[in-house]
Amino acid sequence: MSYKRVLTIQDISCVGQCSLTVALPIISVCGVETCILPSAVLSTHTGGFSGFTFRDLTDDIPKITEHWKKENISFDAVYTGYLGSIKQIDYVADIIDDSDAISIVDPVMGDKGTLYTGFDTDFVSAMKKLCEKADIIIPNITEACFMTGVAYKEEYDSTYIDTLLSELRKFCNGTIILTGVSYNDLSTGVVVYEKNKLSYYEHKKLAGSCHGTGDIYASAFTGALLNEQSITTAAKTAADFTLMCIENTDSSHWYGAQFEKVLPALAKMLK
Ligand code: PXL
C-alpha cells in the first residue's frame, strides 16, 4: 500500500474520547498520515458534561488553508466530523471543492432522535449542503431524519430505511453509509448504498451504548478505505472494530469508549 495522507476536520474535545482524540490514533494505527484541522476546542464533549468551554476556530480556517496552498500541501482524503459553525461548514465546502481528495462527511449533529447541544435547524440545512458535495456520507438515523425531514422512529422496518435512503439520495449523489440500523433487540448494523447497490452488514447488538462510537466508526472506515479496502469491506471492518471497542469498555466509563485497548486489533484487521 502506498503511504496515504488524510485531512480530518473536527473538534478537539480535550476530555471525552471523541472527534480528533479518536480520529488521530485510529487513522494513524491504520498506517495513514493524519493531518488535522481543529474546528473548535472544547474542555469536554457536550454529551453529559455541564459547563464545558467552547472556543470556535472558524476564523483560523482560511488562514491555515491559505498557508497549505502556498506550501502545495494536498491530501488523499478529507474526512469531516463535528463542525462548530455554519460559516465553518462553508469553509469546509471550499476545501472539498478545491481538492481532488475523496471526501467523507460524517454529518455529526445528533443521536437518539435529538440534536446535540448547540445545533439547530439552520445548522442541519448547512450540513445537508455539505453532504451534497461529499463522495461518501456516514449519517446515523437521527442525522438522516433531520436532513430529510422524515420522522424519527426508535422501531422500524426495512421500508422505513428504504424511505430514508431514497430521501437522502435526493440530495446526496455519493455513497451513503447509514449506521445504527437495527431491526431487532439482538442485532444492529450498517446499510451501504453504493452505485445503486444496497447491502446490509448485520452484527450483534450489545446491551450498552457508548458516546463517541460514531467517530470511532467513521475514523476506522476512513483508515480501512485508505488501506485500499472496498467501501463495503471498510464499512464492515469499521463495524467490527466499533463493536470490539464497546465490548472492551468498562460499564463505569460513561463518557466514551475505551478504544485504546483494541487499537492493535484494528491494525491486524488490515493486514
Ligand atoms: O461524538 C460526537 C461529538 C463530537 N464532538 C463534540 C460532541 C459530540 C457529541 O456529543 O459534543 C464536541
Side-chain angles (χ1 to χ4, degrees), residues 118-183:
F119 293 141
D120 58 16
T121 50
D122 288 343
F123 189 90
V124 173
S125 306
M127 189 59 97
K128 189 171 165 178
K129 286 211 189 103
L130 189 64
C131 286
E132 282 172 23
K133 293 184 179 294
D135 295 312
I136 302 172
I137 65 165
I138 315 183
N140 61 27
I141 293 183
T142 300
E143 291 151 352
C145 285
F146 274 102
M147 289 195 289
T148 57
V150 172
Y152 175 80
K153 283 187 185 174
E154 278 288 333
E155 282 175 25
Y156 44 78
D157 56 16
S158 59
T159 313
Y160 176 76
I161 295 300
D162 289 346
T163 305
L164 214 41
L165 284 170
S166 65
E167 290 300 314
L168 285 168
R169 280 170 47 209
K170 287 186 181 162
F171 62 90
C172 174
N173 297 314
T175 296
I176 301 167
I177 302 177
L178 190 60
T179 61
V181 177
S182 169
Y183 298 118

Side-chain angles (χ1 to χ4, degrees), residues 10-11 13 18-19 42 44-47 82 108 116 211-215:
Q10 41 191 322
D11 69 281
S13 285
C18 67
S19 308
L42 294 85
T44 64
H45 63 58
T46 66
Y82 183 103
V108 177
Y116 296 135
H211 193 94
T213 47
D215 303 342

Side-chain angles (χ1 to χ4, degrees), residues 147-258:
M147 289 195 289
T148 57
V150 172
Y152 175 80
K153 283 187 185 174
E154 278 288 333
E155 282 175 25
Y156 44 78
D157 56 16
S158 59
T159 313
Y160 176 76
I161 295 300
D162 289 346
T163 305
L164 214 41
L165 284 170
S166 65
E167 290 300 314
L168 285 168
R169 280 170 47 209
K170 287 186 181 162
F171 62 90
C172 174
N173 297 314
T175 296
I176 301 167
I177 302 177
L178 190 60
T179 61
V181 177
S182 169
Y183 298 118
N184 59 61
D185 291 343
L186 300 176
S187 68
T188 185
V190 290
V191 172
V192 179
Y193 179 86
E194 187 193 7
K195 294 190 193 122
N196 295 324
K197 266 183 35 207
L198 200 64
S199 62
Y200 179 46
Y201 180 60
E202 196 174 17
H203 55 81
K204 78 174 159 185
K205 188 177 180 173
L206 298 167
S209 68
C210 292
H211 193 94
T213 47
D215 303 342
I216 290 175
Y217 182 86
S219 302
F221 170 80
T222 302
L225 190 73
L226 287 160
N227 270 261
E228 285 157 19
Q229 289 197 347
S230 68
I231 288 178
T232 40
T233 307
K236 287 180 195 168
T237 301
D240 291 342
F241 177 65
T242 307
L243 185 68
M244 215 183 280
C245 292
I246 302 170
E247 268 173 338
N248 282 280
T249 298
D250 300 337
S251 54
S252 58
H253 190 83
W254 66 270
Y255 58 78
Q258 293 169 320

Side-chain angles (χ1 to χ4, degrees), residues 4-158:
K4 298 273 172 56
R5 184 195 275 159
V6 172
L7 169 65
T8 182
I9 312 172
Q10 41 191 322
D11 69 281
I12 297 175
S13 285
C14 301
V15 171
Q17 285 161 314
C18 67
S19 308
L20 284 181
T21 62
V22 159
L24 252 172
I26 290 180
I27 303 173
S28 299
V29 88
C30 297
V32 176
E33 179 182 349
T34 313
C35 305
I36 61 165
L37 185 46
S39 56
V41 179
L42 294 85
S43 50
T44 64
H45 63 58
T46 66
F49 294 100
S50 57
F52 52 83
T53 68
F54 184 99
R55 179 171 297 274
D56 179 12
L57 297 178
T58 300
D59 293 338
D60 293 87
I61 292 180
K63 295 178 217 159
I64 292 171
T65 52
E66 269 316 301
H67 180 220
W68 289 345
K69 270 189 203 152
K70 284 194 190 118
E71 294 289 333
N72 287 320
I73 292 168
S74 62
F75 305 99
D76 297 294
V78 175
Y79 149 46
T80 73
Y82 183 103
L83 300 175
S85 70
I86 291 178
K87 193 169 157 200
Q88 189 170 102
I89 295 181
D90 293 338
Y91 287 143
V92 171
D94 292 342
I95 294 172
I96 290 176
D97 283 342
D98 290 351
S99 157
D100 296 329
I102 181 164
S103 50
I104 302 163
V105 172
D106 179 357
V108 177
M109 290 184 292
D111 202 6
K112 299 188 175 81
T114 50
L115 292 175
Y116 296 135
T117 307
F119 293 141
D120 58 16
T121 50
D122 288 343
F123 189 90
V124 173
S125 306
M127 189 59 97
K128 189 171 165 178
K129 286 211 189 103
L130 189 64
C131 286
E132 282 172 23
K133 293 184 179 294
D135 295 312
I136 302 172
I137 65 165
I138 315 183
N140 61 27
I141 293 183
T142 300
E143 291 151 352
C145 285
F146 274 102
M147 289 195 289
T148 57
V150 172
Y152 175 80
K153 283 187 185 174
E154 278 288 333
E155 282 175 25
Y156 44 78
D157 56 16
S158 59

